PDB file of all heavy atoms in Angstrom:
ATOM      1  N   LEU I 299      10.686 -25.489   8.720  1.00  0.00           N
ATOM      2  CA  LEU I 299      11.047 -26.233   9.923  1.00  0.00           C
ATOM      3  C   LEU I 299       9.860 -27.011  10.456  1.00  0.00           C
ATOM      4  O   LEU I 299       9.984 -28.175  10.840  1.00  0.00           O
ATOM      5  CB  LEU I 299      11.557 -25.261  11.003  1.00  0.00           C
ATOM      6  CG  LEU I 299      13.016 -24.834  10.896  1.00  0.00           C
ATOM      7  CD1 LEU I 299      13.362 -23.892  12.032  1.00  0.00           C
ATOM      8  CD2 LEU I 299      13.919 -26.047  10.930  1.00  0.00           C
ATOM      9  N   VAL I 300       8.691 -26.350  10.448  1.00  0.00           N
ATOM     10  CA  VAL I 300       7.494 -27.025  10.953  1.00  0.00           C
ATOM     11  C   VAL I 300       7.217 -28.278  10.142  1.00  0.00           C
ATOM     12  O   VAL I 300       6.925 -29.352  10.670  1.00  0.00           O
ATOM     13  CB  VAL I 300       6.279 -26.063  10.906  1.00  0.00           C
ATOM     14  CG1 VAL I 300       4.998 -26.824  11.166  1.00  0.00           C
ATOM     15  CG2 VAL I 300       6.460 -24.951  11.919  1.00  0.00           C
ATOM     16  N   LYS I 301       7.359 -28.139   8.814  1.00  0.00           N
ATOM     17  CA  LYS I 301       7.125 -29.273   7.920  1.00  0.00           C
ATOM     18  C   LYS I 301       8.112 -30.390   8.219  1.00  0.00           C
ATOM     19  O   LYS I 301       7.759 -31.572   8.286  1.00  0.00           O
ATOM     20  CB  LYS I 301       7.277 -28.810   6.474  1.00  0.00           C
ATOM     21  CG  LYS I 301       6.095 -29.211   5.593  1.00  0.00           C
ATOM     22  CD  LYS I 301       6.336 -28.727   4.193  1.00  0.00           C
ATOM     23  CE  LYS I 301       5.168 -27.915   3.699  1.00  0.00           C
ATOM     24  NZ  LYS I 301       5.445 -27.284   2.414  1.00  0.00           N
ATOM     25  N   LEU I 302       9.383 -29.988   8.404  1.00  0.00           N
ATOM     26  CA  LEU I 302      10.440 -30.953   8.670  1.00  0.00           C
ATOM     27  C   LEU I 302      10.151 -31.701   9.960  1.00  0.00           C
ATOM     28  O   LEU I 302      10.255 -32.932  10.031  1.00  0.00           O
ATOM     29  CB  LEU I 302      11.774 -30.213   8.768  1.00  0.00           C
ATOM     30  CG  LEU I 302      13.022 -31.085   8.697  1.00  0.00           C
ATOM     31  CD1 LEU I 302      13.204 -31.608   7.295  1.00  0.00           C
ATOM     32  CD2 LEU I 302      14.234 -30.284   9.120  1.00  0.00           C
ATOM     33  N   MET I 303       9.720 -30.952  10.999  1.00  0.00           N
ATOM     34  CA  MET I 303       9.394 -31.569  12.281  1.00  0.00           C
ATOM     35  C   MET I 303       8.275 -32.585  12.099  1.00  0.00           C
ATOM     36  O   MET I 303       8.321 -33.687  12.652  1.00  0.00           O
ATOM     37  CB  MET I 303       8.954 -30.492  13.276  1.00  0.00           C
ATOM     38  CG  MET I 303      10.045 -29.539  13.711  1.00  0.00           C
ATOM     39  SD  MET I 303      11.254 -30.323  14.729  1.00  0.00           S
ATOM     40  CE  MET I 303      10.481 -30.061  16.328  1.00  0.00           C
ATOM     41  N   GLY I 304       7.288 -32.193  11.307  1.00  0.00           N
ATOM     42  CA  GLY I 304       6.166 -33.095  11.045  1.00  0.00           C
ATOM     43  C   GLY I 304       6.647 -34.386  10.411  1.00  0.00           C
ATOM     44  O   GLY I 304       6.253 -35.489  10.800  1.00  0.00           O
ATOM     45  N   LYS I 305       7.552 -34.253   9.450  1.00  0.00           N
ATOM     46  CA  LYS I 305       8.079 -35.421   8.746  1.00  0.00           C
ATOM     47  C   LYS I 305       8.851 -36.315   9.703  1.00  0.00           C
ATOM     48  O   LYS I 305       8.699 -37.533   9.695  1.00  0.00           O
ATOM     49  CB  LYS I 305       9.002 -34.970   7.610  1.00  0.00           C
ATOM     50  CG  LYS I 305       8.287 -34.936   6.263  1.00  0.00           C
ATOM     51  CD  LYS I 305       9.271 -34.587   5.169  1.00  0.00           C
ATOM     52  CE  LYS I 305       8.540 -34.012   3.978  1.00  0.00           C
ATOM     53  NZ  LYS I 305       9.454 -33.351   3.048  1.00  0.00           N
ATOM     54  N   VAL I 306       9.687 -35.654  10.538  1.00  0.00           N
ATOM     55  CA  VAL I 306      10.484 -36.420  11.493  1.00  0.00           C
ATOM     56  C   VAL I 306       9.572 -37.182  12.430  1.00  0.00           C
ATOM     57  O   VAL I 306       9.764 -38.371  12.700  1.00  0.00           O
ATOM     58  CB  VAL I 306      11.419 -35.467  12.288  1.00  0.00           C
ATOM     59  CG1 VAL I 306      12.065 -36.211  13.444  1.00  0.00           C
ATOM     60  CG2 VAL I 306      12.476 -34.888  11.371  1.00  0.00           C
ATOM     61  N   LYS I 307       8.529 -36.495  12.897  1.00  0.00           N
ATOM     62  CA  LYS I 307       7.581 -37.121  13.810  1.00  0.00           C
ATOM     63  C   LYS I 307       6.927 -38.337  13.160  1.00  0.00           C
ATOM     64  O   LYS I 307       6.785 -39.388  13.738  1.00  0.00           O
ATOM     65  CB  LYS I 307       6.518 -36.097  14.206  1.00  0.00           C
ATOM     66  CG  LYS I 307       6.565 -35.749  15.694  1.00  0.00           C
ATOM     67  CD  LYS I 307       5.443 -34.817  16.011  1.00  0.00           C
ATOM     68  CE  LYS I 307       5.843 -33.829  17.102  1.00  0.00           C
ATOM     69  NZ  LYS I 307       4.894 -32.732  17.196  1.00  0.00           N
ATOM     70  N   LYS I 308       6.528 -38.147  11.889  1.00  0.00           N
ATOM     71  CA  LYS I 308       5.859 -39.214  11.158  1.00  0.00           C
ATOM     72  C   LYS I 308       6.789 -40.409  11.007  1.00  0.00           C
ATOM     73  O   LYS I 308       6.386 -41.558  11.209  1.00  0.00           O
ATOM     74  CB  LYS I 308       5.452 -38.695   9.775  1.00  0.00           C
ATOM     75  CG  LYS I 308       3.982 -38.961   9.459  1.00  0.00           C
ATOM     76  CD  LYS I 308       3.657 -38.433   8.093  1.00  0.00           C
ATOM     77  CE  LYS I 308       2.349 -37.648   8.123  1.00  0.00           C
ATOM     78  NZ  LYS I 308       2.120 -36.950   6.857  1.00  0.00           N
ATOM     79  N   ALA I 309       8.046 -40.102  10.657  1.00  0.00           N
ATOM     80  CA  ALA I 309       9.021 -41.170  10.479  1.00  0.00           C
ATOM     81  C   ALA I 309       9.215 -41.904  11.795  1.00  0.00           C
ATOM     82  O   ALA I 309       9.291 -43.138  11.837  1.00  0.00           O
ATOM     83  CB  ALA I 309      10.346 -40.585   9.987  1.00  0.00           C
ATOM     84  N   GLY I 310       9.273 -41.143  12.895  1.00  0.00           N
ATOM     85  CA  GLY I 310       9.439 -41.749  14.209  1.00  0.00           C
ATOM     86  C   GLY I 310       8.259 -42.648  14.553  1.00  0.00           C
ATOM     87  O   GLY I 310       8.438 -43.779  15.026  1.00  0.00           O
TER      88      GLY I 310
END
Side-chain angles (χ1 to χ4, degrees):
Chain I
L299 278 180
V300 169
K301 231 181 233 172
L302 195 71
M303 292 291 271
K305 263 184 203 165
V306 170
K307 245 184 214 166
K308 231 180 226 171

